[in-house]
Amino acid sequence: MFVTGIRLTHHKDGRCRWNPMNKLGRNDPCPCGSGKKYKQCCLSREQAARPRAGALERPDYHLTNYAMGIYRAMVIKDPAGAIRFFERAVKILPPFPEAHFNLGNAARQAFDIPKAVAAYRAVERYAQDDGIAEMARKELEVLEKILLNTTAFPTLDAYVANAQLFDRAFQFLTDRQFEQAVELFKRVLSENPTHVQSYGNLALAYAGLGRRSDAMACFDRALELDSRYQPALLNRRVMAQMREGEPFIPEAVQEVQFYAERLRNQPGRGGSDAARI
């Protein structure tokens, strides 16, 4: 679920507040909590804060990016493509809990769990509305429950830290810094010894160092854990041709979202269910 409506109001302490958009009459109590009527309190300041004509055409405007993120996520059904727009929105206006919440949902559906967790926690940090803060807390609780039931990690933070370590290792691999990649992939596997992707990537790092036997052993371990892991099947055939001591360095390392695609293609697995794995 993505949040679509927002409204800017101002508290007496000067802080901005973004809330789901509801119709608010001039004589209704002001949502800032002052006890005054809306027309006697924040209405004039809110009107001044509204975008001028043509503002939504500006790519550097937070609502432009927010709207584009919603369009890509909900209309085009491309949550991964929506992420960059929600990220721009919160970069322009950090205290924007709705954009953080949608960023979390888009990242979760794109299987970027660390980014989703960070976004939901930003909602808790910035939200003055208990409703959206509670929604973010529930999403975090669901993520934690699933991850703790399906992985060996004791906490959600431990999972996130390991995933971030994997990302650092993969960056070293793509930068052809193979020694550093080996070190970090080994650390990932010390905490998550059944992580198939790390064995496949560790094999590529060993191949870059000319360590054929170590590379083949890692491919074999990956396929022992998952005999259908296509990247290891394909790369093992290629690496079988290399000689011990002669580095095998591909022109480029391509990131493949193998398990994300497998989940998306499973019959009966809707976007929200698949995104929660």
Side-chain angles (χ1 to χ4, degrees):
M1 180 183 71
F2 289 88
V3 175
T4 58
I6 54 174
R7 185 184 69 243
L8 176 64
T9 60
H10 297 266
H11 287 276
K12 290 183 291 183
D13 61 6
R15 296 182 62 185
C16 292
R17 175 178 176 179
W18 292 87
N19 291 320
M21 186 178 290
N22 298 310
K23 184 175 179 59
L24 187 67
R26 292 169 56 84
N27 293 316
D28 289 338
C30 188
C32 75
S34 66
K36 298 179 181 180
K37 291 182 178 181
Y38 180 46
K39 67 181 181 182
Q40 298 171 336
C41 190
C42 291
L43 174 60
S44 60
R45 281 179 290 179
E46 182 176 331
Q47 289 175 333
R50 289 173 184 165
R52 298 177 180 177
L56 293 181
E57 299 175 2
R58 292 166 44 195
D60 59 341
Y61 186 57
H62 53 280
L63 288 183
T64 304
N65 289 283
Y66 182 74
M68 285 299 300
I70 291 173
Y71 177 76
R72 293 204 68 91
M74 299 184 68
V75 179
I76 301 180
K77 307 297 183 184
D78 177 22
I83 289 175
R84 63 190 178 101
F85 292 105
F86 292 131
E87 286 181 325
R88 286 177 188 169
V90 299
K91 183 177 181 180
I92 296 167
L93 184 68
F96 192 170
E98 284 79 10
H100 284 292
F101 183 79
N102 287 345
L103 173 59
N105 283 350
R108 175 174 55 78
Q109 292 183 29
F111 302 92
D112 190 339
I113 303 304
K115 185 169 291 183
V117 170
Y120 290 138
R121 287 176 173 169
V123 176
E124 293 183 300
R125 184 165 65 253
Y126 289 119
Q128 300 296 317
D129 184 334
D130 289 338
I132 195 168
E134 181 61 24
M135 290 165 63
R137 281 191 288 271
K138 287 181 178 178
E139 292 294 342
L140 286 169
E141 289 171 1
V142 170
L143 276 177
E144 184 165 36
K145 182 178 180 180
I146 291 175
L147 290 171
L148 297 190
N149 286 338
T150 57
T151 71
F153 294 101
T155 66
L156 180 59
D157 285 335
Y159 174 90
V160 168
N162 190 266
Q164 292 171 336
L165 186 63
F166 174 88
D167 289 341
R168 289 174 54 203
F170 189 81
Q171 188 60 55
F172 278 130
L173 180 63
T174 58
D175 292 342
R176 302 186 182 188
Q177 299 183 47
F178 299 119
E179 291 282 4
Q180 294 93 324
V182 166
E183 178 184 352
L184 292 193
F185 280 126
K186 283 184 174 181
R187 286 175 55 189
V188 171
L189 288 166
S190 70
E191 300 171 3
N192 190 7
T194 60
H195 194 243
V196 178
Q197 300 97 312
S198 287
Y199 279 109
N201 288 329
L202 180 57
L204 295 177
Y206 278 136
L209 295 171
R211 296 169 58 175
R212 180 185 183 280
S213 59
D214 289 330
M216 298 301 285
C218 287
F219 283 134
D220 290 342
R221 178 55 178 156
L223 293 171
E224 180 183 339
L225 292 167
D226 183 357
S227 61
R228 298 185 299 162
Y229 186 52
Q230 198 68 16
L233 288 169
L234 296 175
N235 289 331
R236 192 185 188 285
R237 295 193 195 107
V238 175
M239 301 304 170
Q241 307 303 316
M242 69 177 288
R243 296 181 180 179
E244 188 72 38
E246 295 183 1
F248 182 92
I249 303 176
E251 292 184 3
V253 177
Q254 181 180 1
E255 184 175 9
V256 178
Q257 299 292 337
F258 177 77
Y259 287 107
E261 290 300 323
R262 178 187 285 184
L263 283 170
R264 292 190 189 102
N265 294 330
Q266 283 184 8
R269 294 300 295 271
S272 60
D273 288 338
R276 294 180 184 275
I277 300 299

